[in-house]
Amino acid sequence: MRRLVREIEVRPSQLVLPMFVSDAPGEISSMPGVRRHGLDEIASAAESAVAAGVGGLMLFGVPADDAKDDQGSQGWAEDGILQRGLRAVRDAVGDDTVLMADTCLDEFTTHGHCGFLTPEGTVDNDATLAAYVSMAVAQAEAGAHVVSPSGMMDGQVEQIRAGLDGAGFQDTAILAYAAKYASAFYGPFREAVASSLEGDRRTYQQDPANRREGLREAELDLAEGADMVMVKPAGYYLDVLNDVAAVSDVPVAAYQVSGEYAMIEAAARRGWLDRRAAVTESVTAIARAGADIVLTYWAEELATWWK
Ligand code: PBG
């Protein structure tokens, strides 16, 4: 009877697996079970996730330290690690899944910020936008079906849409990280991408104390033409997610971030949590709050459980 009356059943096709591609592959100690894939392994890892039934893949590039510069130019270089990774995955899986790319400079800059810096050291919103456009076009050329601006620069969705259209990529969609909070739960991700960040992102990411502002940020991205909007992190922001889902006329995604993953993995390893039950509950709650799409490092495993 519980099955008969269940309200939420997450389909594997609603899940997106974030993946890391790197010239220096290896394990990520704070994210057990997640790898930085080398170019030679990323295609088979993608094929395996697609075979399990995930709805999409979100690729992040991790450049070598000596490939970083103050502008993050490997972010839009044709032979940048992310573009090479996208090509390898698209060649392998074609249109069998939705291939997404993280459109942000922080992995590629020596200072680790998501944009160009002013001489005073703060992020220069407007100067950064042109780089995001170049990056989005490079990602579309490399085979991304969806670009995902995650740097929280104002105007990024509008500029990227115009840039993609101008370059002939009218069909490339934009998943906007609309409400993205300056969260402590990105900690393990920074290890995953070997981030050089010093300081924090509080001049462009949101204050965790602000609920109304999350909705406002999402509304701006909707007005600029986002094809999907995202709330991030997920589990601690279910109220924001619920607000956004109530007004959005496009699909709403939520990103269960690295720290949310690491906490459950760490506790489960000590026998303090029932891993499968905790993972299931955490992702079901995100869908219940209104997410149509969930980005989660457990996507492939969940897809096999929920076939
Ligand atoms: C920015 C970006 C971050 C994450 C996804 N995109 C890091 C940040 O904003 O500091 C975090 C994802 C996670 O923690 O799993 N490119």
Side-chain angles (χ1 to χ4, degrees):
M1 197 175 300
R2 284 175 81 90
R3 193 179 65 166
L4 177 70
V5 299
R6 181 167 298 145
E7 296 175 36
I8 293 288
E9 199 115 42
V10 186
R11 286 171 282 112
S13 60
Q14 292 175 271
L15 302 173
V16 173
L17 178 67
M19 302 180 81
F20 302 100
V21 61
S22 173
D23 284 322
E27 303 297 323
I28 303 160
S29 64
S30 54
M31 300 177 73
V34 179
R35 265 183 78 73
R36 267 192 306 269
H37 295 288
L39 265 180
D40 54 335
E41 22 172 310
I42 189 78
S44 59
E47 281 169 343
S48 157
V50 172
V54 303
L57 306 170
M58 170 70 78
L59 243 64
F60 293 90
V62 187
D65 267 344
D66 61 8
K68 296 182 182 183
D69 58 34
D70 63 348
Q71 298 211 316
S73 60
Q74 284 295 298
W76 60 88
E78 196 187 334
D79 63 349
I81 182 66
L82 181 49
Q83 278 67 261
R84 284 182 281 141
L86 287 167
R87 264 183 241 114
V89 172
R90 184 66 190 266
D91 282 351
V93 301
D95 291 328
D96 292 344
T97 195
V98 178
L99 180 57
M100 307 179 171
D102 183 66
T103 311
C104 192
L105 293 175
D106 63 316
E107 289 95 10
F108 302 96
T109 52
T110 39
H111 45 75
H113 277 289
C114 296
F116 295 173
L117 296 186
T118 62
E120 294 74 46
T122 57
V123 170
D124 187 339
N125 187 99
D126 294 6
T128 300
L129 294 177
Y132 282 8
V133 172
S134 305
M135 201 175 174
V137 170
Q139 293 173 341
E141 278 168 351
H145 298 107
V146 176
V147 299
S148 311
S150 65
M152 290 297 280
M153 297 301 133
D154 293 334
Q156 61 187 12
V157 173
E158 185 176 37
Q159 297 266 327
I160 288 174
R161 181 73 273 153
L164 287 172
D165 289 352
F169 293 106
Q170 290 90 346
D171 293 337
T172 305
I174 300 175
L175 165 57
Y177 285 63
K180 180 172 178 183
Y181 286 85
S183 173
F185 294 95
Y186 307 147
F189 177 92
R190 304 225 171 123
E191 184 203 335
V193 302
S195 167
S196 329
L197 182 67
E198 285 165 21
D200 60 58
R201 303 200 199 290
R202 284 181 297 176
T203 66
Y204 46 104
Q205 296 183 352
Q206 291 174 240
D207 184 343
N210 291 359
R211 175 172 178 170
R212 193 168 47 204
E213 189 188 21
L215 187 56
R216 178 164 170 266
E217 288 282 354
E219 281 169 341
L220 285 170
D221 285 356
L222 289 167
E224 288 180 30
D227 299 289
M228 298 171 246
V229 289
M230 175 142 73
V231 173
K232 177 182 173 188
Y236 289 102
Y237 295 86
L238 297 183
D239 53 344
V240 178
L241 176 58
N242 189 245
D243 290 348
V244 171
V247 303
S248 176
D249 51 4
V250 301
V252 176
Y255 196 143
Q256 184 178 52
V257 301
S258 57
E260 298 178 80
Y261 175 87
M263 284 191 298
I264 292 180
E265 287 293 339
R269 257 149 232 264
R270 284 165 183 74
W272 293 349
L273 280 178
D274 175 339
R275 181 174 179 276
R276 181 164 175 158
V279 170
T280 298
E281 183 175 332
S282 69
V283 175
T284 302
I286 293 165
R288 192 195 61 231
D292 304 296
I293 300 163
V294 183
L295 285 81
T296 170
Y297 298 97
W298 288 301
E300 180 171 353
E301 192 174 11
L302 284 170
T304 61
W305 292 349
W306 293 344
K307 255 202 174 35

